[in-house]
Amino acid sequence: MGLRKIFKSLIILNKEIETSRGMLYPRESETREVRTLDGIWNFVRSDETNPTQGVRDGWFKDDLSKSMPTIPMPVPASYNDITTEQALRDHVGTVWYDRKFFVPRSWGQDQRVWLRFGSVHYEAFVWVNGRMAVKHEMGHLPFETEVTHLLKYGAENRITVMCDNALIQTTVPQGKISEVANDGGVAIIQSYTFDFFNYAGIHRSVHLYTTPKTFIEEVEIKTNLSPNNSVGTVDYSITVNGTAANEAENTLFARLQIYNREGVQVANVTSDSKLVGSLQVENVKPWWPYLMHSSPGYLYELEIQLYAAKEQLLDVYRLNVGIRTLSWTNTSFLINGKPIYFRGFGRHEDADVRGKGLDNALMARDFNLLKWIGANAYRTSHYPYSEESMQFADQHGIMIIDECPSVDTENFNQALLDRHKSSLEQLVHRDRNHPSVVMWSIANEPRTGQVNADTYFQFVANYTRSLDSTRPITAAIAVPSNDDKAGRHLDIISFNRYNAWYSNTGRLDMVTERVISEATGWNKKYGKPVIMSEYGADTLEGLHLQPAYVWSEEFQTEVLSRHFKAFDALRRKKWFIGEFVWNFADFKTAQSYTRVGGNKKGVFTRARQPKAAAHLLRQRYFALGREVDQCNIPSDLFTYIVDVGGSNFKHDSTDL
Ligand code: GCB
């Protein structure tokens, strides 16, 4: 490589990128209908050595089954674990889905129809009735397009999706594809350094929905509280799409009303044609995190009515609003004026059979476990989670550190930067109205010691700040603080470290002081609040070894406990603001000799049952809740041991 080429590849510029539009969660109202296309679709896996065959041969022009034999495939779900075939589980490249659906005659009259995907991993190409409808790159994030002109009304229609799971050095996340000789010839191998299985497919719901011709395309809200938390402010900004907006400028206006949980109207306002303004809620009930208040997750309903001249009602959209305020300094992070101490998890969207496919039963179980264990937060490691789970978090008062899909980011280049920024743009656009989102995480374990990391993360962080200045920015960093070049661009420093696991394996006596010293090192270097965003140990459920030995339940319990000691020492220093265990539950990874059926650092098993450490963690999280936030603690937190006449041996919740 000539010098010029090297130099050229090192230059990265902060270019403008395309921004997303619309994407309000599909909701029914008196002016909108929503239909799901979830169910069983037809499915074909392309030949790995000929991934574009289907496009060249026009598989989208007719039923897939006319081109290739199809199998049934559930949507939403990852396709990898549905069959018993290794070839599908480890498939690299494109797969195809199609299905038929009926569109009622009434939808063809005086309205518009939209097709929306909650997420397809990694890249999607969509045809409706054989005509290209939309393309989208980036897993875990929604995309939509208007299909009014592509549909047949009062008739059957066909939708075809081609999905490509290939990850390369310019995708987010990055991967590498190589050809390796195998027994029969050559195999296409997808490799990646990140530690979770690259599940693929139509992962979340597919919706068709209608809107009026002129409709509410976007709503952005920002909330605030008066200094004594008695008055809430909801600033809104509405974007309209449609001809009425262009033709009749100055005649559109909106009426906004806020209803409390009892359905009583507590605020209303009529906008002017700019569709920007604010509402005030007296005697407001702020949105509080779980265990920080007796009534956490308080949500109001914001109803938006869009009118044309002469009071003609065009469109109605409703969304839940939590009224809260965030602020941060170099030593603290506050919600509604009160310091936050995070007690949470890194998680994954992962389950047996369905992989990363949306599963409402699993989601409800996970939130019940989060509440059972007394957690108040989690990080959406290492990609955006479903919109449905964000709504759940709003309702339950669980705080979210919302992470984009950039993992193990390295080899910083222009195409990667553009896509990385796009992933954050799409994420902020999707999640900006959720009260549960309290921080943006711009990367997990980026190689921030490398050349260009400084410039690269300056661009990424500042871009994220330009999209939303109301939430702090973090990244979960694993390089030693001395080598790191990104932390100065963040508001809060998060670090991942596996003492007694990856370093000094088995040495429980080498945890506490090391955690204290590393956290202190980060704080000294940057003078910002610090979170330990990952720590833990792989644990095989049911393996008991005394004295504690790696992989046993005893060992996980001890590793957690040694960290607790460090966290308590750090908490006294004020700038240490949170602890996140890795991981909430066991999850699947690529095959490796360090993984037995996947990563087993879960405090819960993959089937969502507690390991021994879960009981210890529960006692700590509630004890912290009691100390920091004066929460009530559950009566079954401690198991009865013995009654020795009220002496010091008594060991129950009143001890706290
Ligand atoms: C990490 C990564 C996480 C892995 C974890 C582990 O640092 O952020 O994705 O799963 O370590 O268990 O190795």
Side-chain angles (χ1 to χ4, degrees), residues 194-196 348 379 381-382 407-408 444-445 476 478 496-498 501-502 534 538 582-583 587 589 595 599-601:
F194 57 82
D195 184 40
F196 55 92
H348 267 296
R379 175 168 61 115
S381 41
H382 297 309
V407 201
D408 295 2
N444 180 71
E445 301 202 354
N496 300 345
R497 189 68 61 217
Y498 290 86
W501 190 257
Y502 294 125
E534 287 185 24
D538 279 273
W582 189 259
N583 187 284
F587 58 91
T589 61
R595 299 282 178 257
N599 187 309
K600 300 278 181 199
K601 293 194 186 70

Side-chain angles (χ1 to χ4, degrees), residues 470-485:
T470 69
R471 295 171 175 95
I473 292 169
T474 195
I477 303 180
V479 303
S481 59
N482 284 340
D483 300 345
D484 173 67
K485 297 189 174 109

Side-chain angles (χ1 to χ4, degrees), residues 99-143:
R99 69 161 283 173
K100 299 267 187 59
F101 58 97
F102 215 87
V103 176
R105 208 177 294 152
S106 60
W107 280 23
Q109 286 145 25
D110 228 26
Q111 55 190 335
R112 301 166 75 175
V113 188
W114 301 80
L115 172 65
R116 187 186 197 275
F117 288 80
S119 96
V120 178
H121 185 76
Y122 169 78
E123 192 170 4
F125 301 75
V126 182
W127 294 262
V128 172
N129 294 325
R131 289 164 67 192
M132 173 51 70
V134 62
K135 293 181 196 164
H136 179 259
E137 176 180 341
M138 200 70 67
H140 322 285
L141 286 160
F143 57 96

